Amino acid sequence: MTIPTLPTTAGQGRAVEQVAFHRTELGVILSLYGRMVAAGEWRDYGISCLREVAVFSVFRRTAEMPLYRIEKRPKLRSKQGMYAVIALNGQVLKRGHDLKSVLRVLERKLIRAVE
């Protein structure tokens, strides 16, 4: 599996690599995001593509700190897994190699008891 990167130019004309989410990864994340928006839990998101990490941040309101961050760190793919879900307080809720299994920790919040 290849890790997609976005080439950009630095100040002296050399290419700087950025980590980005692949289309299939974004499809999985946005599917969960859509269900959470429909449930009224989430309202906004932001995507950051940096040199060593790509971050999908989820917000309850635009002006707040992100409730959760879904991170992709390709350098950790052979160790702990390149995907992680991180809570507002910085606690790593789940880390792993498969994005769908990592996101299950957030899907549990969607399931509620119906009276």
Side-chain angles (χ1 to χ4, degrees), residues 1-114:
M1 175 177 159
T2 60
I3 306 301
T5 56
L6 302 173
T8 60
T9 56
Q12 299 175 351
R14 55 194 165 129
V16 176
E17 299 292 323
Q18 287 182 331
V19 179
F21 288 104
H22 189 267
R23 174 183 273 168
T24 56
E25 295 166 333
L26 278 176
V28 172
I29 294 169
L30 290 174
S31 173
L32 172 65
Y33 176 78
R35 291 192 308 260
M36 295 299 263
V37 167
E41 295 291 320
W42 297 349
R43 297 229 171 109
D44 200 8
Y45 71 90
I47 299 176
S48 301
C49 298
L50 305 173
R51 179 177 273 179
E52 295 190 11
V53 62
V55 182
F56 186 96
S57 301
V58 177
F59 300 89
R60 184 176 305 268
R61 289 177 186 76
T62 306
E64 293 182 350
M65 297 282 291
L67 290 174
Y68 301 103
R69 292 187 332 256
I70 301 165
E71 292 187 354
K72 175 182 177 181
R73 293 183 183 267
K75 288 190 176 182
L76 295 178
R77 72 176 165 258
S78 62
K79 297 177 183 174
Q80 305 161 335
M82 71 175 152
Y83 301 109
V85 174
I86 301 171
L88 177 66
N89 60 2
Q91 178 185 13
V92 177
L93 299 178
K94 180 91 172 165
R95 184 181 301 272
H97 299 283
D98 181 44
L99 182 59
K100 288 182 182 180
S101 66
V102 170
L103 292 179
R104 280 193 203 125
V105 72
L106 297 176
E107 288 180 4
R108 287 187 207 140
K109 302 198 181 295
L110 189 59
I111 301 170
R112 294 183 185 160
V114 178

